Amino acid sequence: MANSSNKTLACRSFWKAGAYEVSSTSNQTLPDGLESFDFDRARVHPKFLHTNATSHKWAFGAIAELLDNAVDEICHGATFIKVDKTANQKDGSPMLLFQDDGGGMDPEGIRQCMSLGFSSKRSKTTIGQYGNGFKTSTMRLGADAIVFTRAVREGQETMSIGLLSYTFLRRTMKDDIIVPMLDFKMEGGQLVPLVYTCLEEWDSSLKILNEWSPFSSEEELLQQFEDVGSHGTKVLIYNLWMNDDGLLELDFDDDDEDILLRDQSNSNTGWSRFHKEIVQHHISHRLRFSLRAYTSILYMRKFTNFKIILRGVPVEQVNIADEMKFKKVVTYKPQVGVDSESVTVRTTIGFAKEAPVLGIFGVNVYHKNRLIMPFWKVLQEGSSRGRSVLGVLEANFIEPAHDKQDFERTPLFIRLETKLRQIIVDYWKENCHLIGYQGSTGKSTKATPQKVQPQKSPRPNMASPHDSSKYGANRDNGQENNTPPANPQAEDEEVRSMDSVDPNMIHTLTEENIELFSRREGLEARDTQLRQTIAELEKELEEVRTKSAQIAAELQCRRLDPSLDNLANQNV
């Protein structure tokens, strides 16, 4: 067994792992005297693997890329994607597992997967399109990844293994990205190695895999196919990245049915205890650090024959539109270009079910069924306008950024932002009274004794502290620099109500909201009083226990020394 300490990087923090000196001289010699054969390689320096992966500011965005690959396999029969923790056989360290039962990859397919910039998925339904997602996502989550895939093409069953190891490339000072691979085929019921040039090359790939992967022999490598089935793919990511405190960035221990992000859940400062409890249970907050919460809204339409199985438990999908009340659908036709086909965009808008107690707001923008921008705040925070208003739309007419966590700030996107702002403001003016606000021509005010402060939190695309988004400042404060003005008049719009509201109920709803706020204040006061009473009772109980202990000790002494009883009787 190889010394595991020599098979990890000295720096396990993702944001620092790319800071190392590059040798000015070429080093093409493989370790342990291996010959340098014509391995499958991308002709770029290994440092590019890390640089390329920095496009993912948020670890969950990288996980979403790998989920997209499995979802794109639904058309090839995929019914599930498993995401779980497993252990490295060599050193016991945690590994991140992704496994699906899709069509798998033949030898050519896995080479395309592990090459840079190749994609065959340019269709109206598939999510992946840049040919870069596997490399950026795996290298963002850990230093190394190994792929096992089985496929059947034209009646021929093949099995392939590929290793993308930043650790191997760094520790051996390579100046090319070398990707060792092994291929097998079934022939006459027997598993036969596929050798393309010479057997020595195949043996050299096997030796690198045994030395730098979690498995020490060909037998251990092939055992990984036992639960893959007749077709499918398994990805193991190991040497997972750590934070600056030396802890794994991904937390597998706090919740056995979830994968959490450390240091992402304590961002609600300035909230009362009452509201903090409500916010912390809302999906707009939990998606920042809970993979289960994030994946529950990751896809707009619910799957019929496909499941995301996280830590052994299927994820229950949530449709944001189902979490609204007083819903409307606004349909409009954006100007996408002179030579482009006409498109129609349907935006579902409404108040959050928790309104007005909870001030969560924002628009969830999807692209080809995939969530790109969750709870995007197109209005300024701190304003009562738009409070508790949620929106959902699928914007297939604009292209997402490479990390699929944002859109490029093109004129088309800016027009969409302006249109959504107008839709929300119009909806608020027409319907804010339904949740207890009094609308006016200038601004809206709350008709309650106490006004709850709106939520103050960053856009939940979860950019890391290292992110310096060139868009963020302008979007959050509503500024639009060097952008063409939108022309709302040029876009056809139709509004359709999805909830029928009885006008006679408006006054009743307002009064009920005021009553709820009053009851809340009373309950909070009652809670404080009960806590004080409990503290007093606990103090009295402690005093009684002390006296009881003293009496018990005295009785014990008397049992051991009967003369004390006689002395006590004499005193009496």
Side-chain angles (χ1 to χ4, degrees):
M1 180 182 297
N3 186 351
S4 61
S5 64
N6 294 327
K7 307 307 177 188
T8 60
L9 297 174
C11 178
R12 292 285 300 279
S13 172
F14 172 73
W15 296 105
K16 300 176 182 178
Y20 70 96
E21 296 296 327
V22 178
S23 175
S24 59
T25 59
S26 178
N27 180 7
Q28 296 291 345
T29 304
L30 294 177
D32 302 327
L34 292 177
E35 295 294 334
S36 179
F37 294 103
D38 187 19
F39 289 92
D40 299 273
R41 66 180 68 188
R43 299 288 181 175
V44 291
H45 194 277
K47 205 168 186 178
F48 180 74
L49 283 177
H50 179 268
T51 304
N52 194 37
T54 58
S55 62
H56 283 294
K57 308 301 180 186
W58 187 43
F60 282 177
I63 292 177
E65 286 271 14
L66 297 172
L67 296 179
D68 291 342
N69 288 340
V71 171
D72 284 341
E73 285 294 303
I74 292 177
C75 61
H76 296 138
T79 61
F80 69 83
I81 170 70
K82 293 180 181 178
V83 184
D84 212 335
K85 169 195 171 185
T86 185
N88 189 320
Q89 293 185 11
K90 288 183 177 178
D91 59 16
S93 62
M95 301 191 296
L96 189 58
L97 164 70
F98 295 85
Q99 182 175 341
D100 66 62
D101 63 342
M105 294 176 282
D106 59 13
E108 179 182 359
I110 192 173
R111 281 157 178 77
Q112 293 171 355
C113 169
M114 305 186 84
S115 298
L116 292 169
F118 183 91
S119 177
S120 60
K121 299 189 292 186
R122 294 291 295 182
S123 75
K124 294 183 178 180
T125 57
T126 53
I127 302 168
Q129 56 188 8
Y130 295 112
N132 205 29
F134 175 81
K135 281 74 67 175
T136 59
S137 56
T138 53
M139 293 296 98
R140 173 61 184 86
L141 297 169
D144 310 290
I146 186 168
V147 181
F148 302 87
T149 185
R150 174 183 280 147
V152 178
R153 301 289 188 269
E154 298 179 355
Q156 177 65 67
E157 178 182 343
T158 59
M159 296 159 56
S160 298
I161 305 170
L163 177 68
L164 187 62
S165 175
Y166 188 55
T167 303
F168 160 64
L169 298 170
R170 279 280 306 272
R171 300 284 296 202
T172 56
M173 297 300 293
K174 293 292 174 290
D175 59 4
D176 249 349
I177 297 179
I178 297 173
V179 184
M181 294 189 185
L182 299 178
D183 299 307
F184 303 85
K185 68 176 180 179
M186 293 299 297
E187 192 174 86
Q190 300 293 323
L191 197 61
V192 178
L194 279 172
V195 179
Y196 300 105
T197 54
C198 60
L199 188 59
E200 287 78 8
E201 176 187 353
W202 198 92
D203 291 337
S204 297
S205 293
L206 177 60
K207 186 171 184 179
I208 296 175
L209 281 162
N210 289 340
E211 185 174 357
W212 295 94
S213 82
F215 311 101
S216 302
S217 65
E218 181 180 346
E219 291 72 21
E220 289 185 3
L221 289 166
L222 292 176
Q223 285 175 3
Q224 294 302 306
F225 288 97
E226 291 180 357
D227 61 347
V228 171
S230 59
H231 49 80
T233 300
K234 176 191 291 186
V235 178
L236 292 171
I237 304 172
Y238 57 103
N239 288 329
L240 301 176
W241 297 118
M242 297 179 175
N243 62 16
D244 291 339
D245 297 326
L247 301 174
L248 287 177
E249 187 178 18
L250 299 177
D251 181 0
F252 299 99
D253 300 326
D254 283 354
D255 191 333
D256 292 338
E257 296 181 357
D258 203 350
I259 297 176
L260 307 178
L261 278 182
R262 298 187 193 274
D263 309 322
Q264 291 285 343
S265 60
N266 300 319
S267 58
N268 286 311
T269 57
W271 287 85
S272 67
R273 180 186 56 81
F274 174 79
H275 284 92
K276 187 177 292 186
E277 291 177 356
I278 298 178
V279 170
Q280 288 177 347
H281 285 86
H282 195 270
I283 194 168
S284 63
H285 171 73
R286 290 191 55 80
L287 66 83
R288 301 173 184 174
F289 61 91
S290 166
L291 184 60
R292 183 169 294 276
Y294 176 56
T295 53
S296 70
I297 62 170
L298 185 58
Y299 301 101
M300 185 175 181
R301 290 175 288 278
K302 295 184 178 181
F303 301 119
T304 54
N305 297 308
F306 184 85
K307 292 181 179 180
I308 300 173
I309 304 174
L310 177 59
R311 304 294 297 273
V313 180
V315 172
E316 183 178 349
Q317 289 185 271
V318 175
N319 189 327
I320 296 295
D322 295 336
E323 304 301 309
M324 303 179 192
K325 57 185 177 182
F326 307 121
K327 290 180 288 185
K328 287 185 177 180
V329 172
V330 178
T331 304
Y332 76 101
K333 296 180 179 180
Q335 293 178 315
V336 296
V338 178
D339 299 327
S340 302
E341 296 181 3
S342 176
V343 297
T344 300
V345 179
R346 291 167 48 89
T347 302
T348 303
I349 188 171
F351 289 114
K353 286 183 178 180
E354 298 84 357
V357 176
L358 188 61
I360 297 297
F361 66 100
V363 182
N364 294 270
V365 186
Y366 290 79
H367 180 267
K368 294 184 179 179
N369 196 42
R370 159 75 136 78
L371 179 63
I372 305 298
M373 298 175 65
F375 296 94
W376 173 32
K377 296 170 178 57
V378 297
L379 295 179
Q380 293 183 14
E381 295 194 67
S383 170
S384 62
R385 291 192 313 169
R387 175 179 168 80
S388 300
V389 177
L390 301 180
V392 179
L393 75 149
E394 188 173 26
N396 293 341
F397 60 96
I398 50 179
E399 292 296 328
H402 280 240
D403 65 351
K404 299 188 182 74
Q405 297 297 309
D406 207 339
F407 291 96
E408 299 295 341
R409 197 166 179 79
T410 61
L412 186 59
F413 176 83
I414 295 169
R415 288 199 295 270
L416 171 65
E417 182 179 30
T418 303
K419 187 65 179 179
L420 290 175
R421 188 180 296 122
Q422 174 193 338
I423 291 172
I424 292 174
V425 170
D426 291 345
Y427 177 85
W428 173 261
K429 288 180 179 178
E430 296 173 3
N431 300 282
C432 64
H433 59 277
L434 297 176
I435 60 171
Y437 280 80
Q438 293 178 341
S440 63
T441 56
K443 57 183 179 180
S444 300
T445 58
K446 189 72 173 70
T448 60
Q450 178 179 350
K451 182 176 175 181
V452 181
Q453 293 298 320
Q455 182 185 10
K456 296 183 179 180
S457 58
R459 275 179 54 203
N461 64 359
M462 276 56 67
S464 80
H466 303 266
D467 184 20
S468 56
S469 173
K470 61 183 178 181
Y471 315 130
N474 288 341
R475 283 189 192 163
D476 289 339
N477 62 26
Q479 297 176 0
E480 297 176 15
N481 298 327
N482 301 321
T483 57
N487 183 12
Q489 303 298 329
E491 296 176 329
D492 299 329
E493 179 177 313
E494 173 192 355
V495 179
R496 179 169 62 88
S497 175
M498 297 180 67
D499 288 336
S500 58
V501 181
D502 186 353
N504 297 327
M505 294 179 60
I506 295 176
H507 178 73
T508 302
L509 288 169
T510 303
E511 294 299 323
E512 287 180 353
N513 281 322
I514 295 175
E515 181 182 355
L516 286 172
F517 272 93
S518 300
R519 287 180 59 191
R520 185 203 70 195
E521 293 176 346
L523 288 172
E524 287 182 336
R526 177 62 176 164
D527 181 69
T528 302
Q529 182 181 357
L530 287 174
R531 290 179 183 274
Q532 183 177 355
T533 302
I534 290 172
E536 293 174 354
L537 291 173
E538 288 178 343
K539 183 178 179 180
E540 292 179 7
L541 178 61
E542 186 63 28
E543 292 175 353
V544 171
R545 285 175 176 170
T546 302
K547 291 180 180 178
S548 298
Q550 293 174 351
I551 294 173
E554 184 178 345
L555 290 174
Q556 183 67 15
C557 290
R558 290 183 179 182
R559 292 191 188 98
L560 296 175
D561 190 354
S563 63
L564 294 176
D565 285 334
N566 296 331
L567 181 60
N569 292 332
Q570 290 176 5
N571 292 335
V572 173

